[in-house]
Amino acid sequence: MRVLLIDDHPQILRIAQMALERVGGFDVHLAEDAAEGIALAQRIQPDLIVLDVMMPGMDGLTALAHLQGLPATCTTPVAFMTARVRDEEVASYLAAGAIGIVRKPFDAMRLAEDLSALLASSR
Amino acid sequence: MTTTPTPPLDSERLLWAIARAQSSFIQEESLSVVMDGLLQQLLELTGSEYGFIGERLIDDGGQPYLRTLAITNIAWTDELNAFYEAHAPTGLEFRNLENLFGRVLTTQQPLLSNDPAHDPRRGGLPPGHPALNHFLGLPIHTGQEMVGMVGIANRPGGYDQEVADYLAPFTATCANLVLAVKTRREREETEQAQRDFVAVVSHELRTPMTLIRGSLDLLHGLYADDIPEPAQELLDHAVDGSGRMLRLLDDLLQIDRLDGDRVKLHVEECDVNTVLSQVIGHHRAHAASRDVCLVLDVLGRPRVQADTDRLSQVITNLVANAVKFSPPSEEVLIRSRVHEDTVSIEVCDRGPGIAHEAQVQIFEKFRQATPPETRNADGLGLGLYVVKALVERHGGSVHVVSEPGRGATFTVRLPKTASEGGA
């Protein structure tokens, strides 16, 4: 499975990458900001995009709206990975069209499994 | 002009009105209810047609202005009426001081006008405003400071010094209430600031915690075999500590929601034993590392209407506590039972127990059973507060039975799902 992770925090990207590659055997691509991530998504056509919410420049919800407006990515499933998990915040992510939420801190050994489950339940 | 006779000034009724306002304030009725009641009494006692009670506040430019605590609805258009309905409960603000009540705010002196139409101090009324035949404005003082005022209008026969004197105990009461309101408001603002702080802190701590947790998970899960024995033990301690820290963050966030009354329960039919098994599964390794054995004892199929995540958090906090206080080589017993109307979940440890006088306190925020020598553990004392609050949100209850030195049993009772068949 090809996953694109977009998060402004390089260390978090790195840990999530290790978790997904070594535990899940995923093909993992990284972007440190939303604009870079959107460009990369159009090129590599991932099976799943995992987006941070709070990012400098373009935030996650805006990035999701952009992705939904592009022919190459409008059907790509997007999950949010965030520490902002109040009920009303989670509701806003789902309302925007996200398939689900991974809350930070995440369980690194289960991240691949959790994302697979999110993807499966969204189909 | 009307020929309504001037109503008498009844001192007994005045005192009664004051007493009633004070007692309703003490009973923590909402401020607008207390003030509306007080204004109503004021109008009746003086035979006035309309009026207001307001705070005197100072704007950024140093100008006084009025914010009402209660005001008669004299709206003369639908638009004004809608405005009144929307804003009166939180207070209407008046900043134009070129009028009779504005004069009271600036001079801080009583003002009596029985011919406002020809009074040079009046500023004119907006078109459509009900007639203003008589006006009495009285400042509300606490000590030297003018904190508010009352304004009343259209007492048949007009106002005089006797009315002003008659109302002295009334304005004194208003002064105390305005002061108490300010104190209450400041307290609420402080509490809100605390909640905001807790929310920000618990959120900001999650990013570094993500790095710590993620790294430890991978070290532990992928590379444990490559790590020499002494380092392995250190890794276990780090995993243990980070797990506890994460629970604290969850509790802090939960308290922010509970105190802000923003907890939304996603209630569904919930199999208690499944939740118990999951929670125990998560804690087994941690308990084993402390040489504590978790024992699950279930009978029947207890089902409740609950938010599974919250119920899981309740059990997690109780089990984590029991493990924390359990001496080595002892067991922690987790037991579910089905009763006539309820389902009970018990978590029993053989730890040091909790003194009788502490058994109520431990469910309060930031409380642990003290003295610390009897319960040697860290923590902010949030876990049981969260347990109690969440259980009560589910219509249930939690209590503890404990003898010092002989362990503790926490029992959660939840209403049973109506269709439950029993054990």
Side-chain angles (χ1 to χ4, degrees):
Chain A
M1 180 156 86
R2 178 172 293 175
V3 179
L4 170 60
L5 303 174
I6 307 174
D7 194 310
D8 63 308
H9 208 296
Q11 291 167 294
I12 289 179
L13 279 180
R14 185 77 186 111
I15 288 169
Q17 180 185 22
M18 286 176 76
L20 294 178
E21 285 179 352
R22 312 227 174 162
V23 183
F26 291 5
D27 173 19
V28 182
H29 298 258
L30 308 177
E32 285 187 29
D33 68 61
E36 183 194 336
I38 291 168
L40 192 58
Q42 290 173 282
R43 260 205 331 275
I44 65 170
Q45 297 280 305
D47 301 304
L48 173 67
I49 299 173
V50 180
L51 255 180
D52 187 15
V53 173
M54 295 292 287
M55 291 185 284
M58 193 191 301
D59 68 18
L61 281 167
T62 312
L64 173 58
H66 275 273
L67 289 165
Q68 287 167 336
L70 293 167
T73 54
C74 61
T75 57
T76 311
V78 173
F80 281 108
M81 186 154 82
T82 177
R84 302 205 153 245
V85 288
R86 291 182 176 188
D87 292 339
E88 61 273 21
E89 291 167 337
V90 170
S92 75
Y93 310 145
L94 298 177
I99 61 164
I101 315 295
V102 174
R103 40 183 299 168
K104 291 178 181 170
F106 50 83
D107 184 334
M109 291 303 291
R110 291 191 44 171
L111 184 60
E113 196 186 321
D114 288 348
L115 288 178
S116 300
L118 271 186
L119 203 53
S121 66
S122 76
R123 280 178 179 152
Chain B
M1 291 294 287
T2 63
T3 53
T4 315
T6 302
L9 299 172
D10 184 336
S11 296
E12 206 169 305
R13 275 190 61 197
L14 179 77
L15 292 176
W16 178 80
I18 289 170
R20 202 170 97 156
Q22 283 172 335
S23 80
S24 69
F25 184 80
I26 290 163
Q27 288 161 21
E28 295 261 336
E29 277 187 32
S30 89
L31 180 67
S32 66
V33 171
V34 177
M35 285 298 173
D36 284 346
L38 209 51
L39 176 61
Q40 194 51 43
Q41 292 295 330
L42 174 64
L43 298 178
E44 286 176 20
L45 288 166
T46 57
S48 300
E49 193 180 336
Y50 57 89
F52 66 84
I53 304 172
E55 278 180 283
R56 180 181 186 265
L57 302 169
I58 305 292
D59 69 15
D60 294 339
Q63 283 295 312
Y65 67 98
L66 181 81
R67 181 160 69 203
T68 60
L69 295 164
I71 183 167
T72 314
N73 185 359
I74 53 164
W76 55 92
T77 66
D78 290 348
E79 202 181 344
L80 283 174
N81 188 56
F83 184 81
Y84 176 91
E85 299 284 342
H87 295 98
T90 52
L92 303 175
E93 290 184 356
F94 296 92
R95 292 170 191 267
N96 176 13
L97 302 177
E98 298 298 318
N99 45 44
L100 294 177
F101 74 79
R103 182 64 70 119
V104 179
L105 289 181
T106 49
T107 62
Q108 310 194 24
Q109 297 296 321
L111 186 150
L112 206 152
S113 179
N114 284 320
D115 187 14
H118 300 99
D119 194 313
R121 299 170 294 188
R122 88 178 265 237
L125 296 172
H129 191 289
L132 181 61
N133 303 322
H134 311 282
F135 177 81
L136 175 63
L138 295 173
I140 299 171
H141 285 285
T142 61
Q144 293 300 308
E145 192 192 359
M146 177 178 167
V147 294
M149 67 169 290
V150 299
I152 44 179
N154 296 359
R155 169 178 160 87
Y159 300 99
D160 54 20
Q161 191 56 42
E162 195 194 349
V163 179
D165 292 344
Y166 167 73
L167 289 177
F170 186 91
T171 52
T173 301
C174 286
N176 290 336
L177 289 176
V178 169
L179 213 57
V181 165
K182 279 182 194 277
T183 310
R184 192 192 278 182
R185 193 181 292 147
E186 280 165 12
R187 189 186 70 204
E188 284 168 359
E189 283 169 3
T190 308
E191 286 172 357
Q192 184 59 44
Q194 273 177 1
R195 284 201 293 274
D196 291 347
F197 177 74
V198 164
V200 168
V201 166
S202 67
H203 173 253
E204 288 304 316
L205 286 174
R206 281 175 181 271
T207 299
M209 271 308 291
T210 305
L211 298 178
I212 296 170
R213 254 339 271 254
S215 301
L216 290 174
D217 284 345
L218 294 176
L219 259 182
H220 196 260
L222 295 177
Y223 304 105
D225 293 345
D226 303 336
I227 298 172
E229 186 66 31
Q232 181 79 57
E233 187 192 330
L234 296 177
L235 179 59
D236 287 343
H237 292 321
V239 169
D240 186 22
S242 71
R244 252 186 280 166
M245 187 152 162
L246 198 54
R247 279 198 299 281
L248 276 177
L249 287 182
D250 285 342
D251 283 346
L252 276 174
L253 200 64
Q254 195 71 67
I255 280 181
D256 166 48
R257 292 182 195 163
L258 287 167
D259 287 353
D261 212 15
R262 285 186 285 104
V263 169
K264 284 198 199 95
L265 297 181
H266 304 285
V267 175
E268 56 190 353
E269 170 104 359
C270 179
D271 181 340
V272 171
N273 291 346
T274 305
V275 177
L276 292 181
S277 301
Q278 282 167 353
V279 171
I280 288 170
H282 284 137
H283 281 80
R284 207 175 284 288
H286 168 60
S289 76
R290 303 175 69 113
D291 200 18
V292 172
C293 180
L294 300 181
V295 178
L296 179 59
D297 168 15
V298 300
L299 204 63
R301 291 185 57 76
R303 292 180 169 278
V304 294
Q305 294 292 319
D307 181 321
T308 309
D309 289 343
R310 309 294 185 223
L311 181 58
S312 174
Q313 192 178 2
V314 165
I315 315 284
T316 295
N317 284 0
L318 291 176
V319 171
N321 255 357
V323 171
K324 188 160 80 178
F325 294 116
S326 210
S329 322
E330 286 289 359
E331 62 185 34
V332 167
L333 178 66
I334 298 107
R335 181 191 289 144
S336 72
R337 288 289 184 270
V338 182
H339 308 278
E340 197 171 341
D341 301 316
T342 60
V343 164
S344 67
I345 303 161
E346 288 177 16
V347 179
C348 320
D349 68 65
R350 297 194 182 142
I354 303 157
H356 287 279
E357 56 275 19
Q359 289 181 11
V360 176
Q361 281 179 12
I362 54 172
F363 292 105
E364 293 169 16
K365 210 189 312 184
F366 302 119
R367 290 278 197 171
Q368 276 200 339
T370 48
E373 58 270 22
T374 59
R375 296 216 110 179
N376 177 26
D378 51 10
L380 293 178
L382 296 174
L384 290 174
Y385 172 77
V386 170
V387 166
K388 181 166 186 282
L390 283 178
V391 167
E392 287 176 354
R393 291 280 201 288
H394 280 87
S397 64
V398 57
H399 71 274
V400 60
V401 175
S402 177
E403 288 293 329
R406 303 181 64 182
T409 297
F410 286 86
T411 305
V412 170
R413 281 183 187 278
L414 293 169
K416 193 173 70 174
T417 297
S419 59
E420 171 59 44

